[in-house]
Amino acid sequence: MLSAAATLLGQETKLRVIAFGAHPDDCDIRAAGSAALWTQAGVAVKFVSVTMGDVGHQTMYGEPLAHRREGEAKESARRLGIEYDVLHNHDGRLLPTLDVREQIIREIRQWNADVVLAPRPNDYHPDHRYTGVLVQDAAYMVVVPYLIPEVPALRKNPVFLYYEDNFQRPNPFRPDIAVDLDDVIDKKVEALDSHVSQFYEWLPWVDGKSADVPKDPVQRKSWLKQTRTRAIKPDVRASLIKWYGAQKGEAAKYYEAFEICEYGARPDEARVRQLFPMLGN
Ligand SMILES: [Zn+2]
């Protein structure tokens, strides 16, 4: 009886996080380390790519590329212990339409999300920008019962968080929450390593750096770790110290940071610690 009650309680209280990216690799870049830590803490995590990523390559496109990238996303999910969905919208052609907004609302409701992650709506890439807009547009509508009545509305609005970016206008990213990734950085690299078509082919090609990509699988991962992590800026360091205390916050080498969106639920410090059990108390 006790264990059944505990299981029931566990099901009721298990936290649920859903992350949106425009392409199958975007969520990984911004949140794979946090996903690994959440999973270790028993939190259910799902990544959603809003497009199929079907033009993100220099020698292949369309259905074969979409199929390859979906396989890479599923491999990343397997390595992280999460779920990964790819929505059937075309890469490079995403618009903030009612149709796609409703796809996003359905995903958030069906996942019964406590936390929703998304890009900010200012970005060089139109798909990233509109993914940010689409998730903002869903932020209130997820609780409205007669919008998409066949998928029950949430009774509690989730907390919406933005991924870190470097764009300064109209306002720079604010690292309200910073997660220390030192224990899981290799796991994050493993997730990125799943996206072979991107990190070892397309992105180096776009940057004119194809020759820099190591051939050896082990060297590739250390190259990823070097080139896909960034130095900690003072505002991120201050956030790490706020959440982890001086000793751990000063020592952290790898991180992911998030900004609390003004829409959706507004968490206080205690609620942030509940939603991010890896921060400790
Ligand atoms: Zn992208």
Side-chain angles (χ1 to χ4, degrees), residues 127-162:
D127 292 349
H128 297 178
R129 195 181 311 146
Y130 295 136
T131 297
V133 170
L134 284 156
V135 176
Q136 283 194 348
D137 288 352
Y140 176 68
M141 305 316 290
V142 292
V143 301
V144 178
Y146 281 107
L147 184 77
I148 323 175
E150 67 274 21
V151 184
L154 299 181
R155 291 296 294 124
K156 275 191 313 192
N157 209 342
V159 171
F160 288 75
L161 303 175
Y162 295 126

Side-chain angles (χ1 to χ4, degrees), residues 22-23 25-26 29 69 124-125 127-128:
H23 309 110
D25 70 326
D26 291 353
I29 294 169
R69 295 193 67 179
Y124 74 99
H125 196 304
D127 292 349
H128 297 178

Side-chain angles (χ1 to χ4, degrees), residues 29-263:
I29 294 169
R30 298 296 176 204
S34 300
L37 288 166
W38 267 315
T39 304
Q40 284 174 14
V43 177
V45 180
K46 183 179 194 178
F47 285 179
V48 178
S49 176
V50 181
T51 79
M52 298 180 281
D54 48 326
V55 295
H57 203 269
Q58 69 277 32
T59 59
M60 60 191 297
Y61 68 97
E63 173 59 30
L65 180 59
H67 182 73
R68 183 181 182 197
R69 295 193 67 179
E70 183 161 14
E72 292 172 345
K74 298 292 183 197
E75 176 58 20
S76 173
R78 192 188 65 77
R79 294 181 186 185
L80 290 170
I82 65 167
E83 293 195 28
Y84 211 133
D85 260 9
V86 177
L87 304 182
H88 287 195
N89 303 297
H90 287 295
D91 186 359
R93 303 178 73 182
L94 187 68
L95 288 172
T97 62
L98 276 176
D99 173 48
V100 187
R101 186 198 295 174
E102 293 194 3
Q103 295 174 28
I104 305 250
I105 292 169
R106 284 169 193 270
E107 287 282 344
I108 295 170
R109 287 182 181 176
Q110 282 163 348
W111 194 247
N112 191 18
D114 298 291
V115 176
V116 180
L117 307 177
R120 298 199 302 161
N122 308 293
D123 196 289
Y124 74 99
H125 196 304
D127 292 349
H128 297 178
R129 195 181 311 146
Y130 295 136
T131 297
V133 170
L134 284 156
V135 176
Q136 283 194 348
D137 288 352
Y140 176 68
M141 305 316 290
V142 292
V143 301
V144 178
Y146 281 107
L147 184 77
I148 323 175
E150 67 274 21
V151 184
L154 299 181
R155 291 296 294 124
K156 275 191 313 192
N157 209 342
V159 171
F160 288 75
L161 303 175
Y162 295 126
Y163 305 125
E164 185 181 26
D165 62 59
N166 285 324
F167 302 104
Q168 300 297 306
R169 299 196 180 169
N171 52 292
F173 171 81
R174 192 186 62 215
D176 294 325
I177 302 164
V179 178
D180 175 351
L181 298 190
D182 288 8
D183 292 342
V184 290
I185 187 62
D186 291 330
K187 195 131 195 189
K188 175 166 185 173
V189 171
E190 286 288 333
L192 300 182
D193 173 73
S194 310
H195 299 275
V196 173
S197 71
Q198 301 303 295
F199 295 106
Y200 302 136
E201 297 175 13
W202 167 240
L203 296 171
W205 184 84
V206 171
D207 292 340
K209 292 180 176 169
S210 296
D212 294 356
V213 183
K215 300 268 180 290
D216 175 71
V218 177
Q219 282 177 13
R220 278 185 165 193
K221 285 185 206 174
S222 52
W223 175 77
L224 264 191
K225 191 167 168 177
Q226 276 169 24
T227 55
R228 291 281 157 191
T229 53
R230 53 177 99 189
I232 298 185
K233 288 185 280 192
D235 57 349
V236 171
R237 180 67 72 194
S239 185
L240 284 163
I241 290 168
K242 171 186 171 176
W243 293 106
Y244 289 94
Q247 196 178 4
K248 197 160 187 237
E250 294 280 10
K253 280 177 67 182
Y254 302 102
Y255 76 99
E256 282 162 356
F258 304 97
E259 178 177 324
I260 299 168
C261 175
E262 289 180 296
Y263 315 142

